[in-house]
Amino acid sequence: MSKKLLGWKEIPFAGIIPNTPTSLEYKTGTWRAFKPVHNKEKCIKCLLCWIHCPEPAIIRHDDDSIEIDYDYCKGCGICSNVCPVKAIVMVPEGE
Amino acid sequence: MFVQLKLLLWFRRESEMGKIIGLNGDEAVAYAVKQTNVDVIAAYPITPQTIIVERLSEYVHNGELEAAFVPVESEHSALSATVGAALTGARVFTATASQGLALMYEILWIASSLRLPIVMALGNRAFSAPINIHCSHDDAMAARDAGWIEFFSENVQEAYDLTLIAFKSAESCLLPAIVNLDAFILTHSLEGVEVLDDNDVKRFLPDKRPIYPYPIDVEKPTTYGPLALYDYYIEMKRQQAEAVKEAYGKIVNIMREYSEVSGRKYSPVKAYFMDDAEVAIVVLGSAAGTIRTVVRDLRSKGEKVGVLSLTLYRPFPEKELMNAVKNVKVLAVMDRAYSYGAPGAPLFSDIAATLYNVEEKPMLFNVVYGLGGRDLTADHVKFVFNIAKEYLRKGIVEKKEIWIGVRK
Ligand code: SF4
Ligand code: SF4
């Protein structure tokens, strides 16, 4: 959200967006109240979090290790919930 | 040279004469729509607009009109289909009334926010309950905040003319437009209507496509109606508000142009004996004719009365209205609709808001009449003028709201 926001005379006619896709510019990570924190030591690379993340904000690497994309993670907690070894814990944002 | 001039005069006369045919209000609208060479019609029949839909489907069936006629399952779908069709750049039309408009309601706002030039005829009919098929302006008033241009016809000729004016206005302003015609009083009344020659319609409303300047193009994916939250929603609304304000001047010019083509004068406000009127009535729709008859009658007895009627309701003709009533002492605002619990019915509120900051302004009172098709008689109109004259004498409006033609 660091981009300059346009005024009503500058926005396209009727809010039409001609150069799709623009959804990547919208960083939904700012919505988060709880933040998933991943523990690499505990992780068994089962990828259940990767399958269940609705965004998807779990990035899967070639070796099946995972990383959380905080630009888009909304902090829903599903990944933490499905992880069989409790390798993801939710902590309040700002802590 | 002489021969050329004669030919020119002959052509002029031919095109000026115009054919007169017997049409009711619905048929007149359908005839005008046919002449626009519309591409897509999506509508669901509802009393009293049914004949519009029937005639148009006949025109398409007979090959008189080359258009896609979409027989939808509801009014919500009717307007949704026209939204989609308008986005492709087509010329589109729909029609409804009363409950049908209510069912379209969410799409009304989407059509206007996407700035789609859709034209809709509205056979003004009372909202249920109790169920009623006759005239109230409930549906027109329900649409008044939705960002559509709104015209009111006084007679069948105007329903025809305003349909053509609505297409040109919608397409020039990139806003949807409604043509209001009173249920049965206009939709089902037969009149001799002077119709334009097809070629004159073409000259007035050129056959160019696409009409929407940013049509759907599969080669160039575009997002229409995106999500916009607290970061952009208000900017989009501000832009839309400006578009509706700016539409006013464009519509005035289009009306002027149409007056030249048709020989029938159109402007946002019709003033009758308003120059020196002390008491006056302002009204929408078919009642204007009845009131004008009474004004003529009272004028012959030397009474300084007048009547104003609005042909254009949205955008609201504020300046013309202020100007027309500047010498009036008492103004009766007649509403064929009601706004429960509000400080005034819709037209009254509009006029009170228009005049609030004006220094020299008439006293105002609100007259509710004709709901659900109750007749407005000459005696009712005289009664309203008598009340206005009484308030003028006393220098005070004793009752801000009165209902006429209603049993106690
Ligand atoms: S908290 Fe929700 S959005 Fe964020 S990574 Fe986990 S599952 Fe995905
Ligand atoms: S669900 Fe838990 S264990 Fe499985 S990949 Fe995700 S973090 Fe690792």
Side-chain angles (χ1 to χ4, degrees):
Chain A
M1 291 272 111
S2 55
K3 259 177 63 182
K4 180 191 171 272
L5 294 170
L6 303 175
W8 68 269
K9 291 180 182 174
E10 300 165 316
I11 55 171
F13 170 87
I16 287 170
I17 303 174
N19 48 334
T20 48
T22 53
S23 59
L24 288 177
E25 290 172 24
Y26 200 76
K27 303 280 163 47
T28 49
T30 58
W31 301 10
R32 202 169 47 235
F34 285 89
K35 180 180 182 170
V37 176
H38 182 228
N39 184 336
K40 275 206 173 88
E41 312 301 314
K42 280 193 179 172
C43 179
I44 55 167
K45 299 185 181 177
C46 70
L47 295 179
L48 273 176
C49 57
W50 174 73
I51 291 167
H52 281 87
C53 174
E55 282 315 305
I58 304 274
I59 299 164
R60 174 187 180 179
H61 294 300
D62 287 347
D63 64 349
D64 283 348
S65 66
I66 66 107
E67 195 187 327
I68 294 161
D69 184 346
Y70 291 114
D71 274 351
Y72 303 105
C73 163
K74 290 175 181 163
C76 67
I78 291 173
C79 52
S80 164
N81 229 310
V82 297
C83 177
V85 295
K86 304 245 177 301
I88 298 178
V89 288
M90 303 301 291
V91 299
E93 273 294 341
E95 262 188 21
Chain B
M1 179 69 192
F2 179 70
V3 176
Q4 268 181 353
L5 196 72
K6 254 183 94 171
L7 260 176
L8 204 77
L9 283 172
W10 183 78
F11 274 125
R12 253 187 85 78
R13 212 170 42 236
E14 273 298 285
S15 63
E16 268 176 6
M17 276 201 313
K19 226 175 1 173
I20 293 179
I21 44 182
L23 297 170
N24 64 36
D26 279 353
E27 289 170 330
V29 169
Y31 194 91
V33 172
K34 180 184 78 154
Q35 287 184 302
T36 68
N37 236 340
V38 69
D39 300 309
V40 179
I41 301 151
Y44 189 87
I46 180 171
T47 304
Q49 146 276 35
T50 316
I51 305 163
I52 301 179
V53 184
E54 287 172 352
R55 286 299 169 272
L56 285 170
S57 72
E58 282 166 18
Y59 288 144
V60 173
H61 179 75
N62 296 344
E64 285 177 77
L65 173 63
E66 215 182 294
F69 185 92
V70 192
V72 285
E73 82 288 3
S74 78
E75 286 84 359
H76 189 280
S77 302
L79 194 54
S80 299
T82 57
V83 163
L87 277 174
T88 69
R91 180 168 283 162
V92 296
F93 176 79
T94 188
T96 193
S98 180
Q99 307 306 113
L101 189 280
L103 188 50
M104 278 181 181
Y105 199 66
E106 64 168 322
I107 315 299
L108 281 185
W109 291 67
I110 291 169
S112 60
S113 302
L114 291 175
R115 308 280 309 275
L116 298 174
I118 297 165
V119 173
M120 166 153 71
L122 198 51
N124 304 121
R125 163 184 154 183
F127 277 157
S128 300
I131 193 162
N132 178 292
I133 53 171
H134 292 282
C135 184
S136 279
H137 292 157
D138 297 348
D139 40 16
M141 293 307 161
R144 77 186 190 276
D145 297 332
W148 287 56
I149 297 167
E150 281 202 64
F151 297 100
F152 270 91
S153 4
E154 183 187 319
N155 50 45
V156 174
Q157 180 71 58
E158 286 193 6
Y160 169 83
D161 291 333
L162 289 171
T163 301
L164 296 175
I165 290 172
F167 271 98
K168 182 141 182 161
S169 303
E171 295 176 9
S172 321
C173 305
L174 291 172
L175 289 169
I178 287 172
V179 177
N180 289 297
L181 60 159
D182 286 351
F184 291 96
I185 304 167
L186 299 183
T187 58
H188 288 62
S189 291
L190 194 70
E191 247 181 56
V193 179
E194 194 177 313
V195 298
L196 295 189
D197 185 76
D198 287 354
N199 289 321
D200 287 339
V201 174
K202 250 195 195 84
R203 262 195 297 277
F204 174 69
L205 191 72
D207 243 343
K208 54 116 199 170
R209 300 289 188 279
I211 284 162
Y212 192 60
Y214 311 96
I216 289 176
D217 179 353
V218 286
E219 303 294 328
K220 266 196 335 199
T222 297
T223 303
Y224 302 92
L227 175 78
L229 304 178
Y230 39 69
D231 51 355
Y232 271 112
Y233 185 85
I234 195 169
E235 276 73 26
M236 286 162 77
K237 293 295 111 176
R238 179 75 183 81
Q239 189 191 65
Q240 190 182 351
E242 201 62 22
V244 180
K245 281 191 180 131
E246 268 177 22
Y248 188 78
K250 292 183 192 168
I251 297 167
V252 171
N253 287 337
I254 290 164
M255 286 177 147
R256 200 172 297 142
E257 194 187 326
Y258 188 82
S259 308
E260 279 160 25
V261 175
S262 66
R264 290 180 290 279
K265 200 175 166 299
Y266 278 90
S267 63
V269 172
K270 272 189 286 185
Y272 189 69
F273 280 108
M274 286 300 293
D275 287 344
D276 62 341
E278 287 183 332
V279 298
I281 289 175
V282 54
V283 76
L284 296 165
S286 63
T290 309
I291 301 170
R292 220 173 281 129
T293 308
V294 175
V295 166
R296 198 182 311 141
D297 190 29
L298 294 178
R299 278 278 171 177
S300 71
K301 293 175 184 129
E303 296 194 28
K304 291 191 167 175
V305 293
V307 58
L308 267 182
S309 53
L310 309 186
T311 304
L312 180 63
Y313 179 62
R314 285 287 183 273
F316 197 73
E318 288 185 69
K319 284 224 172 72
E320 271 77 356
L321 201 119
M322 281 180 201
N323 208 28
V325 303
K326 64 176 188 287
N327 298 323
V328 173
K329 303 279 181 294
V330 182
L331 184 64
V333 182
M334 293 187 52
D335 269 282
R336 199 163 200 154
Y338 195 64
S339 181
Y340 301 91
L347 184 59
F348 181 86
S349 298
D350 286 327
I351 287 175
T354 301
L355 296 177
Y356 186 76
N357 284 328
V358 178
E359 223 162 291
E360 289 272 313
K361 54 179 169 275
M363 295 189 278
L364 297 179
F365 68 102
N366 199 183
V367 180
V368 180
Y369 77 100
L371 302 188
R374 178 62 50 87
D375 273 338
L376 176 77
T377 65
D379 282 341
H380 290 141
V381 179
K382 282 182 190 149
F383 177 72
V384 172
F385 276 128
N386 282 337
I387 292 174
K389 283 185 282 182
E390 190 189 318
Y391 290 170
L392 175 64
R393 226 177 13 254
K394 293 180 176 163
I396 187 169
V397 168
E398 284 173 331
K399 264 191 182 166
K400 191 175 74 169
E401 174 185 311
I402 58 169
W403 290 52
I404 57 168
V406 56
R407 292 182 298 277
K408 283 224 174 76

